[in-house]
């Protein structure tokens, strides 16, 4: 199968095009660096099968971070039949710099001129024919979000299959950067016309959200309303939709099933020991109640809000606002984006650290990801388990976790001697989110949760039952019991929870339910479980990203911070 | 006309880049985004100690304070 690579600057729409051509899901957002690894899929073009590779965006072929390294690696390998370079019509000149470095390579190349609709709205008129003759390569205008122009792509690919040599670039490209920019100036002045347009609403929003004295209050309002909205949607979906559904339709079915079964062991395994779905620890009761009734609504709410903020293009603005503060904890502003992603799940959060340049930043970002950003399933469980008590305890848990992260960041910044690089990012223009793309993305993320997390939750419940049956649980509990009673002032039997926290954090917090703890004890236990160790999935990914040695240090540092700060909290709460 | 650092510009002021006081990698990174000697840019926003946002080639770019101090410019009247 012939290979086609999809390249270009960050945030030009490569992933939207990839999803469109392969029918596979590739996450896309309105900020640079959404794609950090190579995505591969099969695309049928001109009635032929191709392997299509979505390459992370880059501004040049001299890599400054891991994502750009991956891009330069595949482009330099030469292992492909055709390169498609996606150009953003709203910023043609900047895109042409990367395009020139591809034109130098003398391998078959074709250009897709994307975002033609947005360019038109901003008064930018590009003549594709003229651009094509100036570049000495074919240029196809497209609108990736609607699919306009892809029929032309099919035609051109057909031509490519008949005569690949016609797609070899012929333009002579100067070697030095200043001369390249001069050439770009000439090309764009010949093929592009710009009319002045009056600033629209989105541009006014730009001023409000980037001018320092309005940006910070605005950011605070966005953050606060996001949290309240997530909690509102999550809580109401659980209480008024999913919990009633579970009780009125699923529970009677379980009762019938239980009556039909004889084996007591099997019954205990499937239905557990208590009629309360959160406390029984049966595979079919708690095993399904936790992921579907408690966690799913929050996951849905969180990703809805995150996807919305991403597609509007607000995330890089947060990076700018937080740049000052971030430097004190050894990151630059963009380091806050992986941490925000981590509030959903650690796995995409860790992957997002690939846009960071230095080892120091990656270590600090990974460490803070585990310390200050509890993932959504875990947060959902904390919300749910603390919901019967005053809201003070919920605020205490999350506020304290954030505080631990800040202190740890300040400390790590002192411990790791390396300069933190400067923030240097493109701020995309605000865009009205495209509902179709938004729901496509939401579906992808929910599917990832259902496929990856739900089986792990059930596995966790199964593991607990098996450990219990074989008596391992009680020996683990008694081993850890002095630590819990003396240091954290919690019941000694809680040791068993530790094991599960490693497998799946949300399940470990649900295991607190049968202990009937006081709210202050629940707060200490939640804080400890949230930060003490990464879950298995994220630990393996961290080892892959950072190496075993650094990962060991990060995990050890987290464990130490968790013990210290949870003990401090227990002491402060007078347990 | 006097040369100043990018950080000295007021919000909304236009200027031409005259030089970048930095190593090859810094120069190259700025180059690849369109910041090079002779290019006209507009400073959009910055706080007293935070990053500077400039507009170049119709895109907005946020540049960390330390990096922005190394970019020398000349105001365009």
């Amino acid at each position: 199968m012939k290979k086609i690579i999809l390249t270009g600057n960050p945030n030009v729409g490569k992933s939207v095009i990839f999803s469109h051509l392969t029918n596979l899901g590739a996450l896309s957002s309105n900020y640079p660096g959404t794609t950090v690894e190579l995505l591969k899929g099969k695309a049928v073009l001109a009635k032929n099968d191709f392997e299509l590779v979505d390459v992370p965006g880059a501004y040049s072929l001299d890599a400054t971070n891991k994502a750009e390294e991956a891009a330069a690696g595949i482009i330099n390998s030469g292992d492909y039949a055709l390169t498609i370079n996606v150009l953003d019509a709203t910023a043609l000149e900047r895109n042409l710099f990367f395009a020139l470095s591809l034109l130098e390579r003398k391998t078959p190349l074709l250009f897709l001129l994307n975002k033609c609709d947005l360019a038109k709205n901003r008064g930018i008129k590009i003549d594709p024919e003229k651009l094509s003759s100036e570049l000495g390569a074919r240029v196809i205008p497209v609108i990736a979000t609607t699919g306009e122009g892809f029929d032309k792509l099919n035609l051109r690919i057909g031509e490519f299959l008949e005569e690949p040599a016609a797609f070899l670039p012929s333009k002579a490209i100067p070697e030095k950067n200043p001369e390249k920019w001069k050439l770009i100036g000439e090309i764009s002045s010949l093929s592009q016309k710009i009319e002045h347009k009056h600033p629209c609403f989105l541009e006014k929003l730009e001023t409000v959200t980037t001018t320092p004295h309005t940006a910070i209050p605005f950011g605070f309002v966005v953050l606060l309303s996001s949290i309240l909205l997530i909690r509102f949607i999550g809580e109401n979906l659980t209480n008024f939709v999913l919990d009633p559904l579970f009780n009125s339709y699923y529970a009677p079915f379980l009762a019938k099933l239980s009556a039909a079964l004889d084996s007591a062991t099997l019954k205990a395994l499937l239905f557990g020991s208590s009629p309360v779905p959160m406390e029984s620890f049966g595979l079919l009761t708690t095993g399904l109640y936790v992921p579907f009734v408690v966690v799913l609504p929050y996951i849905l709410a969180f990703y809805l809000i995150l996807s919305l903020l991403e597609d509007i293009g607000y995330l890089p603005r947060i990076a700018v606002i937080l740049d000052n503060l971030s430097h004190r904890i050894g990151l630059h502003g963009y380091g806050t984006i992986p941490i925000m992603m981590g509030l959903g799940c650690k796995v995409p959060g860790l992957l997002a650290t690939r846009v960071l340049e230095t080892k120091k930043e990656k270590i600090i970002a990974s460490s803070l990801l585990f310390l200050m950003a509890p993932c959504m399933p875990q947060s959902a469980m904390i919300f749910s388990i603390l919901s019967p008590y005053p809201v003070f305890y919920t605020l205490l848990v999350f506020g304290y976790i954030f505080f631990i992260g800040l202190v740890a960041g300040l400390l790590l910044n002192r411990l790791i001697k390396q300069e933190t690089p400067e923030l240097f990012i493109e701020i995309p223009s605000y865009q009205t989110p495209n509902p179709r793309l938004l729901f496509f993305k939401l579906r992808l993320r929910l599917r990832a949760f259902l496929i990856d997390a739900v089986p792990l939750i059930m596995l966790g419940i199964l593991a607990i039952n098996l450990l219990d049956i074989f008596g391992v649980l009680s020996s683990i509990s008694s081993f850890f019991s002095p630590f819990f009673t003396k240091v954290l002032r919690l019941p000694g039997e809680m040791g068993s929870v530790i094991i599960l926290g490693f497998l799946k954090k949300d399940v470990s917090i649900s295991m607190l339910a049968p202990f009937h703890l006081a709210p202050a004890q629940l707060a200490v236990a939640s804080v400890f479980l949230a930060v003490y160790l990464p879950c298995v999935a994220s630990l393996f990914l961290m080892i892959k990203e950072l190496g075993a040695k650094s990962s060991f240090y990060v995990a050890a540092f987290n464990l130490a911070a968790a013990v210290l700060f949870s003990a401090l909290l227990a002491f402060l709460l007078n347990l | 006309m006097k040369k100043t650092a990018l950080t000295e510009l007021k919000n909304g002021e236009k200027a031409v880049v005259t030089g970048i006081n930095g190593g090859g990698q810094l120069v190259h990174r700025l180059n690849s985004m369109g910041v090079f000697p002779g290019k006209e840019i507009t400073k959009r926003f910055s706080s007293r100690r935070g990053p500077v946002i400039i507009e170049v080639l119709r895109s907005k770019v946020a540049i960390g304070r330390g990096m922005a101090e190394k970019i020398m410019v000349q105001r365009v009247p």
Side-chain angles (χ1 to χ4, degrees):
Chain A
M1 211 169 12
K2 283 202 164 77
K3 196 192 272 183
I4 297 180
I5 58 171
L6 207 54
T7 62
N9 278 182
N11 206 38
V12 294
K14 294 179 293 299
S15 296
V16 182
I17 294 170
F18 178 84
S19 301
H20 192 96
L21 294 179
T22 57
N23 289 319
L24 287 178
L27 281 186
S28 58
S29 308
N30 183 19
Y31 62 90
T34 313
T35 308
V36 289
E37 55 189 340
L38 299 176
L39 291 175
K40 292 174 187 169
K42 201 185 86 174
V44 183
L45 289 160
K47 299 193 180 108
N48 274 274
D49 286 353
F50 288 94
E51 185 188 9
L52 191 65
V53 185
D54 185 12
V55 179
Y59 293 106
S60 77
L61 289 174
D62 302 87
T64 52
N65 62 42
K66 242 190 156 174
E68 283 190 0
E69 240 169 62
I74 183 147
I75 293 168
N76 289 328
S77 76
D79 174 28
Y80 44 84
L82 175 70
T83 309
I84 295 180
N85 181 6
V86 183
L87 301 171
D88 177 350
T90 65
L92 182 65
E93 285 110 312
R94 177 171 50 67
N95 280 251
L96 285 179
F97 187 77
F98 182 79
L100 291 193
S101 61
L102 291 176
L103 285 169
E104 280 172 337
R105 311 193 69 78
K106 311 290 179 217
T107 53
L109 176 65
L110 103 88
F111 293 102
L112 287 183
L113 185 64
N114 189 24
K115 305 196 190 178
C116 292
D117 49 340
L118 288 176
K120 202 176 147 201
N121 289 344
R122 287 179 207 163
I124 303 166
K125 268 191 202 139
I126 298 171
D127 179 352
E129 303 292 322
K130 192 82 192 141
L131 184 62
S132 175
S133 68
E134 284 303 315
L135 290 173
R138 285 156 176 82
V139 177
I140 308 165
V142 292
I143 302 170
T145 49
T146 62
E148 216 177 300
F150 284 109
D151 46 337
K152 274 270 173 50
L153 176 65
N154 264 306
L155 282 177
R156 294 283 178 249
I157 298 286
E159 289 169 24
F160 168 72
L161 289 170
E162 276 170 27
E163 204 193 343
F167 285 74
L168 287 171
S170 53
K171 182 125 187 136
I173 306 299
E175 212 173 290
K176 293 246 162 41
N177 284 344
E179 284 149 35
K180 278 185 183 162
W181 280 112
K182 204 173 146 235
L183 178 65
I184 290 169
E186 287 163 12
I187 297 174
S188 54
S189 67
L190 286 170
S191 51
Q192 175 176 256
K193 282 198 183 68
I194 297 164
E195 288 163 21
H196 183 74
K197 288 244 168 155
H198 286 289
C200 65
F201 168 73
L202 287 179
E203 280 157 63
K204 283 179 195 145
L205 186 67
E206 180 71 64
T207 313
V208 175
T209 53
T210 5
T211 316
H213 57 271
T214 47
I216 293 167
F218 187 85
F220 190 71
V221 169
V222 170
L223 182 76
L224 199 69
S225 37
S226 299
I227 294 172
L228 290 176
L229 203 60
I230 290 167
R231 186 127 188 240
F232 175 80
I233 298 175
E235 202 171 54
N236 286 303
L237 269 181
T238 300
N239 293 345
F240 297 111
V241 182
L242 292 162
D243 185 67
L245 280 177
F246 189 93
N247 287 329
S248 45
Y249 291 97
Y250 184 65
F253 162 75
L254 281 188
K256 270 186 210 151
L257 194 65
S258 168
L261 282 176
D262 286 329
S263 158
T265 328
L266 195 60
K267 267 192 194 175
L269 205 58
L270 292 180
F271 311 110
S273 45
S274 150
V276 185
M278 275 282 274
E279 294 178 16
S280 63
F281 281 87
L283 271 179
L284 296 179
T285 52
T286 312
L288 293 175
Y289 190 86
V290 165
F292 289 107
V293 180
V294 185
V295 176
L296 188 65
Y298 283 96
I299 291 276
L300 178 80
F302 174 80
Y303 280 124
L304 181 69
I305 307 275
L306 180 72
S307 306
L308 207 61
L309 291 176
E310 279 180 344
D311 286 5
I312 292 171
Y314 189 60
L315 257 45
R317 271 89 179 169
I318 302 184
V320 172
I321 300 172
L322 293 178
D323 188 52
N324 239 331
L325 178 74
S326 315
H327 269 280
R328 297 192 189 180
I329 55 172
L331 293 171
H332 64 54
Y334 222 57
T336 54
I337 289 190
I339 296 174
M340 285 186 265
M341 308 295 287
L343 289 170
C345 171
K346 301 291 158 66
V347 171
L350 280 168
L351 286 174
T353 62
R354 288 188 185 170
V355 297
L356 302 175
E357 294 118 85
T358 61
K359 183 97 188 200
K360 172 180 177 172
E361 283 180 291
K362 296 186 84 167
I363 290 179
I364 294 183
S366 309
S367 198
L368 296 190
L369 197 59
F370 294 125
L371 280 175
M372 72 182 346
C375 63
M376 207 61 232
Q378 200 179 333
S379 305
M381 291 311 302
I382 296 176
F383 282 143
S384 145
I385 210 156
L386 287 171
S387 64
Y389 308 106
V391 70
F392 164 76
Y393 292 100
T394 312
L395 293 176
L396 177 74
V397 169
F398 288 98
Y400 197 69
I401 290 175
F402 185 70
F403 168 74
I404 299 175
L406 275 188
V407 175
L410 288 170
L411 193 68
L412 283 172
N413 188 25
R414 295 278 158 90
L415 285 177
I416 309 175
K417 297 265 177 284
Q418 192 181 11
E419 192 84 2
T420 302
E422 296 281 339
L423 179 78
F424 185 56
I425 52 163
E426 186 197 341
I427 309 283
S429 301
Y430 280 125
Q431 275 174 25
T432 322
N434 176 322
R436 196 179 56 84
L437 286 180
L438 187 80
F439 283 105
F440 177 71
K441 178 150 81 170
L442 195 58
R443 214 185 65 201
L444 275 182
R445 286 174 157 164
L446 286 181
R447 199 177 63 188
F449 167 73
L450 293 176
I451 293 174
D452 301 338
V454 174
L456 267 178
I457 292 178
M458 308 225 11
L459 195 70
I461 306 265
L462 182 68
I464 275 301
N465 278 298
L466 293 179
L467 289 174
D468 195 23
I469 292 170
F470 294 111
V472 185
L473 214 51
S474 55
S475 45
I476 294 171
S477 298
S478 57
F479 178 78
F480 284 110
S481 103
F483 169 73
F484 278 101
T485 47
K486 300 228 166 63
V487 182
L488 301 185
R489 330 267 174 112
L490 294 171
E493 305 83 61
M494 276 192 46
S496 52
V497 180
I498 286 233
I499 294 296
L500 214 54
F502 183 57
L503 193 62
K504 199 77 185 69
K505 295 240 172 179
D506 39 11
V507 184
S508 72
I509 291 175
S510 74
M511 279 186 70
L512 299 174
F515 289 104
H516 299 285
L517 300 173
Q521 287 179 309
L522 274 177
V524 174
S526 302
V527 167
F528 180 75
L529 287 174
V531 297
Y532 85 109
L533 272 185
C535 68
V536 173
S538 48
L539 184 69
F540 280 122
L541 183 62
M542 174 164 71
I543 293 172
K544 202 176 129 207
E545 294 290 312
L546 287 180
K549 201 173 132 197
S550 303
S551 301
F552 172 78
Y553 286 132
V554 169
F557 180 80
N558 280 13
L559 187 60
V563 172
L564 203 73
F565 280 101
S566 314
L568 178 68
L569 185 63
F571 172 76
L572 291 175
L573 289 173
N574 245 332
L575 287 181
Chain B
M1 282 292 275
K2 217 171 86 222
K3 286 177 190 174
T4 50
L6 174 61
T7 43
E8 301 295 311
L9 293 183
K10 288 195 196 73
N11 290 348
E13 260 187 322
K14 277 188 189 349
V16 171
V17 179
T18 58
I20 298 163
N21 302 328
Q25 204 191 354
L26 175 71
V27 171
H28 190 88
R29 281 185 81 184
L30 287 165
N31 269 197
S32 65
M33 289 269 230
V35 182
F36 55 90
K39 185 73 204 169
E40 188 180 291
I41 57 160
T42 310
K43 178 175 165 190
R44 293 297 290 267
F45 313 101
S46 78
S47 58
R48 208 141 37 83
R49 284 176 321 200
V52 178
I53 300 178
I54 63 164
E55 192 168 317
V56 59
L57 297 173
R58 268 172 296 113
S59 355
K60 282 178 271 312
V61 180
I63 303 178
R65 196 81 191 170
M67 202 190 266
E69 278 164 358
K70 295 185 181 131
I71 302 175
M72 302 309 290
V73 297
Q74 190 164 8
R75 287 190 178 89
V76 175

